[in-house]
C-alpha cells in the first residue's frame, strides 16, 4: 500500500532572526504498510513521528528539504499526487483537536470531508450522519460545536472524517493522548475496525503499551531514525525477540515490566535533535 | 502533613462533586489517586494546592491552614506543560522565576543547558514537562500534586522523570500525590493508593 524508502527530512530553523540552520529531523527511514494492517510507529517525543505523517500527507512546512521515495500503490508519490490523493486515498487523523473548525457543528464538518471525497451534497450529509452514528455519536452530539464535545468525542469526529473519505491509507497521529481508558479503548477499537475493513492504518504514538494489542507490526523510531521494524508479538517476556537495545529498553521501561531504564541509560546522555 | 478536612466542593453549588472528603498525605509519602474521568481527581488536586477554594472544610499544611500568599508549599503539576508556561518567555526565565536549581539537579532531570535558551514552542512536551517539574521543586515546597504528568511521555522518559523525582523527594522528604489512570504506574510508585468515585475516597 505505502512504501517509504530511505526518507530524509531537513527543516530550517532560525537562530537570532536571520541565521538559518538545518536540523535533520528524519534520517534514513524505511518501512512499508500493507492493506488491512495497523502499523504502529512508536517513538519518544521529538523522534520525528508527526513529521513523518506530514511528509506522507505532503503537509510539510515551506522550506523543508525531503529526499527519498514514497510509493503509494506502487506509484511514486509526488507532491502533485499527494495533493490529489489527500482526502480521497490518504487521510490524516490529526493530533491536535484544534484541527476541527470551532464555528461549525460536527455533522457539517464531517459532511465536508465526504464532499471532498467526491460525494454530492445530499449524499455527503447522509454519509456524515451515518459515520458519526457508527462512532457512537448520537444526534445530539452531531449538532454540537467542537468545544461542546469531550476529548474522546472530538477524536471520534476526526476519525469519522477519515472514515467517510473512504481513504485506503489512514494515518492516526497520537489518537489516544489525553483520553481516559474507556475513551482510549473506543478510539483504538475504531482504528482496528478500519484495518479489518481492509484499510492500511499507520498509528503514530508514544504509548507502546496500548498500541501493542491492536498493532500488527511496530516500527520504533528514535531521533529521526527507524531503529527497528518488528511484529508486535515480539514484545513479550523479557523482549528476547527484539533486535535493538532501544526497543528492549522501551519494553523494560513499562510500569508492568521492570519500570527501569536498564540495560542502557538513554536520552539524557546522548544529544537530541535540535 | 498535608491534610484535607471535610472538604466539600461543587462547581454548581447544589451539585457537590466532592462530599465531606478527608485525606492525609505525610512527609515523604507517595500516595496514588485513581478514578474515572470526571470523578473529580484533578479538582481534588487543585483544592489541595489551593488553586480552588472549597465550599466547606479546609486544607492544612503541617497543621496550619493553607495560605494564598507567597510561595505555595503545595505545588500542582499540570498534565499539559504548554499551558503552564509563558509562551513568550525563554524557558530559562520561566524556571528562574521560581528558583535557580543547581547544575547537578538540572542534569538529574535530563535537561540540557541549551533548552533553557529556547522558547516553549521549540521544546517537545516531554522536555517542557521536565522543566515544569523542576520549577515546582523550589526550596520551601513540601508537597507535590502530580496530575497525570507523564501521560504524554514515552516509557523511557517516564521512567527517567519519575526516578529523578523520586530521588529528589526522598532527599527532601516531599510528599507526593500522584494522580493517574494508570494502575500499573501507581502500583510502582506509591506506597498507598486511594480511589475516588462518587465524590468519596475509598
Amino acid at each position: 500500500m505505502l512504501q517509504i524508502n530511505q526518507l530524509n527530512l531537513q527543516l530550517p530553523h532560525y537562530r537570532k532572526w536571520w541565521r538559518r540552520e538545518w536540523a535533520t529531523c528524519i534520517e534514513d527511514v524505511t518501512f512499508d504498510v500493507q492493506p488491512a494492517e495497523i502499523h504502529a510507529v512508536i517513538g519518544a517525543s521529538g523522534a520525528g513521528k508527526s513529521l513523518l505523517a506530514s511528509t506522507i500527507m505532503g503537509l510539510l512546512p515551506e522550506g523543508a528539504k525531503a529526499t527519498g521515495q514514497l510509493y503509494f500503490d506502487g506509484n511514486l508519490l509526488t507532491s502533485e499526487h499527494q495533493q490529489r490523493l489527500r482526502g480521497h486515498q490518504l487521510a490524516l487523523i490529526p493530533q491536535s483537536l484544534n484541527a476541527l473548525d470551532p464555528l461549525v457543528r460536527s455533522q457539517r464538518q464531517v459532511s465536508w470531508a465526504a464532499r471532498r471525497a467526491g460525494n454530492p451534497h445530499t449524499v455527503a450529509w447522509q454519509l456524515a450522519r451515518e459515520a458519526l452514528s457508527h462512532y457512537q455519536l448520537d444526534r445530539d452530539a452531531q449538532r454540537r460545536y467542537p468545544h461542546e464535545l469531550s476529548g474522546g468525542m472530538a477524536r471520534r469526529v476526526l476519525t469519522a472524517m477519515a472514515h467517510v473519505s473512504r481513504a485506503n491509507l489512514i494515518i492516526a497521529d497520537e489518537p489516544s493522548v489525553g483520553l481516559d481508558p474507556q475513551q482510549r479503548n473506543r478510539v483504538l477499537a475504531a482504528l482496528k475496525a478500519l484495518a479489518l475493513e481492509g484499510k492500511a492504518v499507520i498509528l503514530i504514538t508514544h504509548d507502546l503499551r496500548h498500541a501493542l494489542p491492536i498493532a500488527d507490526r511496530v516500527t520504533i523510531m528514535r531521533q529521526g531514525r527507524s531503529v527497528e521494524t518488528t511484529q508486535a508479538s515480539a514484545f513479550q517476556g523479557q523482549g528476547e525477540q527484539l533486535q535493538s537495545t532501544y526497543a528492549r529498553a522501551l519494553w523494560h521501561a513499562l510500569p508492568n515490566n521492570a519500570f527501569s531504564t536498564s540495560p542502557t541509560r538513554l536520552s539524557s546522555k546522548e544529544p537530541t535533535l535540535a | 502533613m498535608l491534610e484535607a478536612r471535610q472538604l466539600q466542593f461543587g462547581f454548581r453549588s447544589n451539585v457537590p462533586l466532592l462530599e465531606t472528603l478527608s485525606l492525609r498525605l505525610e512527609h515523604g509519602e507517595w500516595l496514588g489517586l485513581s478514578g474515572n474521568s470526571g470523578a473529580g481527581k484533578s479538582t481534588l488536586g487543585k483544592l489541595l494546592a489551593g488553586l480552588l477554594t472549597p465550599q466547606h472544610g479546609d486544607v492544612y499544611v503541617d497543621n496550619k491552614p493553607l495560605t494564598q500568599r507567597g510561595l505555595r508549599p503545595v505545588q500542582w503539576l499540570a498534565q499539559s506543560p504548554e499551558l503552564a508556561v509563558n509562551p513568550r518567555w525563554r524557558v530559562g526565565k520561566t524556571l528562574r522565576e521560581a528558583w535557580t536549581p543547581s547544575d547537578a539537579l538540572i542534569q538529574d532531570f535530563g535537561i540540557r543547558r541549551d533548552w533553557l535558551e529556547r522558547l516553549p514552542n521549540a521544546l517537545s512536551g516531554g522536555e517542557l514537562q521536565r522543566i515544569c517539574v523542576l520549577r515546582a521543586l523550589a526550596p520551601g515546597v513540601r508537597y507535590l500534586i502530580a496530575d497525570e504528568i507523564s501521560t504524554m511521555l514515552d516509557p523511557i522518559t517516564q521512567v527517567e522523570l519519575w526516578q529523578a523525582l523520586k530521588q529528589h523527594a526522598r532527599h527532601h522528604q516531599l510528599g507526593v500525590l500522584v494522580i493517574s489512570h494508570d494502575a500499573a504506574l501507581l502500583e510502582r510508585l506509591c506506597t498507598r493508593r486511594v480511589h475516588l468515585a462518587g465524590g468519596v475516597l475509598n
Side-chain angles (χ1 to χ4, degrees):
Chain A
M1 176 69 61
L2 179 80
Q3 199 180 346
I4 301 171
N5 225 342
Q6 296 184 325
L7 182 71
N8 288 283
L9 177 70
Q10 288 189 310
L11 288 182
H13 69 109
Y14 292 85
R15 193 178 288 264
K16 296 243 182 90
W17 300 107
W18 62 86
R19 273 179 55 205
R20 185 162 71 170
E21 292 177 1
W22 292 94
T24 306
C25 300
I26 297 180
E27 214 178 339
D28 195 19
V29 167
T30 300
F31 69 89
D32 65 292
V33 194
Q34 301 299 329
E37 178 192 42
I38 293 189
H39 196 115
V41 176
I42 308 242
S45 49
K49 309 186 296 287
S50 295
L51 282 169
L52 184 67
S54 309
T55 313
I56 298 169
M57 294 296 291
L59 295 172
L60 287 173
E62 225 168 292
K65 286 199 289 196
T67 61
Q69 300 88 42
L70 297 172
Y71 293 96
F72 183 73
D73 278 341
N75 302 319
L76 190 65
L77 199 57
T78 59
S79 55
E80 295 85 62
H81 273 111
Q82 281 169 326
Q83 203 171 2
R84 212 177 53 235
L85 295 177
R86 235 167 14 221
H88 302 260
Q89 291 296 311
L90 306 173
L92 174 70
I93 303 174
Q95 175 171 12
S96 167
L97 298 178
N98 299 337
L100 290 171
D101 187 330
L103 301 176
V104 180
R105 297 176 197 271
S106 50
Q107 185 178 4
R108 184 167 298 275
Q109 302 209 29
V110 178
S111 81
W112 287 352
R115 288 191 68 184
R116 227 170 288 136
N119 294 294
H121 188 87
T122 45
V123 180
W125 189 251
Q126 196 57 37
L127 280 175
R129 173 172 302 167
E130 283 166 19
L132 286 165
S133 307
H134 180 77
Y135 290 105
Q136 294 115 34
L137 292 157
D138 55 14
R139 296 297 288 275
D140 175 46
Q142 293 171 13
R143 273 196 288 269
R144 289 206 217 166
Y145 290 100
H147 74 269
E148 299 171 315
L149 300 168
S150 75
M153 289 163 107
R155 195 75 67 176
R156 277 181 276 145
V157 171
L158 289 168
T159 315
M161 291 169 93
H163 182 92
V164 293
S165 70
R166 304 234 152 259
N168 287 321
L169 177 70
I170 293 164
I171 305 169
D173 193 357
E174 297 279 12
S176 62
V177 79
L179 303 182
D180 67 85
Q182 205 185 345
Q183 296 270 21
R184 180 186 61 220
N185 292 343
R186 269 180 148 173
V187 168
L188 292 181
L191 290 177
K192 186 72 191 172
L194 285 170
L196 290 175
E197 282 174 29
K199 323 247 184 229
V201 179
I202 299 180
L203 170 60
I204 293 176
T205 182
H206 66 269
D207 192 351
L208 176 64
R209 184 152 40 124
H210 298 108
L212 284 178
I214 63 159
D216 298 294
R217 281 189 296 162
V218 176
T219 291
I220 304 276
M221 280 189 71
R222 184 182 181 204
Q223 292 167 16
R225 292 168 168 273
S226 57
V227 175
E228 182 174 359
T229 298
T230 173
Q231 298 292 325
S233 57
F235 287 90
Q236 57 166 317
Q238 297 293 310
E240 299 90 346
Q241 293 175 45
L242 298 168
Q243 306 289 317
S244 60
T245 47
Y246 181 68
R248 231 170 286 145
L250 271 179
W251 177 240
H252 279 285
L254 292 181
N256 323 42
N257 299 332
F259 199 51
S260 71
T261 45
S262 60
T264 43
R265 206 183 137 74
L266 299 143
S267 80
S268 59
K269 293 282 163 61
E270 293 181 23
T272 53
L273 287 168
Chain B
M1 175 170 57
L2 175 65
E3 197 179 10
R5 292 187 197 158
Q6 311 275 317
L7 285 190
Q8 197 178 341
F9 184 83
F11 284 102
R12 278 168 294 167
S13 53
N14 53 347
V15 193
L17 180 62
L18 305 173
E19 294 184 77
T20 57
L21 185 147
S22 298
L23 180 77
R24 301 172 110 188
L25 178 66
E26 307 283 344
H27 282 300
E29 186 186 16
W30 284 66
L31 175 64
L33 175 63
S34 57
N36 294 332
S37 62
K41 302 187 297 294
S42 296
T43 306
L44 177 57
K46 285 181 190 170
L47 284 167
L48 290 171
L51 300 177
L52 290 172
T53 314
Q55 271 121 22
H56 293 285
D58 285 297
V59 177
Y60 290 85
V61 180
D62 301 325
N63 289 318
K64 287 195 278 290
L66 190 64
T67 56
Q68 296 288 339
R69 288 186 310 183
L71 178 85
R72 304 198 174 193
V74 186
Q75 284 287 323
W76 183 73
L77 293 167
Q79 180 174 355
S80 11
E82 296 85 3
L83 305 179
V85 295
N86 188 334
R88 297 176 193 201
W89 283 11
R90 297 189 185 273
V91 292
K93 185 176 174 189
T94 298
L95 182 60
R96 279 188 289 273
E97 190 195 20
W99 69 306
T100 311
S102 70
D103 282 357
L105 195 59
I106 288 178
Q107 208 150 50
D108 279 352
F109 276 84
I111 295 169
R112 294 207 346 240
R113 287 236 75 115
D114 64 297
W115 295 358
L116 301 180
E117 302 307 317
R118 298 198 207 165
L119 288 169
N121 65 11
L123 288 172
S124 73
E127 290 163 355
L128 207 53
Q129 187 64 288
R130 289 182 235 185
I131 306 253
C132 286
V133 171
L134 185 56
R135 177 177 63 170
L137 298 179
V141 172
R142 310 297 306 138
Y143 303 94
L144 290 175
I145 313 292
D147 190 356
E148 296 274 16
I149 59 168
S150 65
T151 30
M152 85 293 282
L153 307 179
D154 70 285
I156 293 175
T157 315
Q158 264 189 45
V159 171
E160 285 177 349
L161 181 70
W162 286 119
Q163 279 178 348
L165 193 55
K166 197 121 207 178
Q167 199 184 350
H168 184 87
R170 194 184 308 122
H171 199 241
H172 295 268
Q173 283 294 299
L174 298 183
V176 184
L177 178 74
V178 186
I179 302 176
S180 179
H181 286 300
D182 190 342
L185 181 73
L186 294 182
E187 181 79 29
R188 280 281 174 188
L189 289 172
C190 302
T191 44
R192 190 159 67 92
R193 291 166 61 184
V194 288
H195 187 81
L196 181 64
V200 287
L201 288 173
N202 45 45

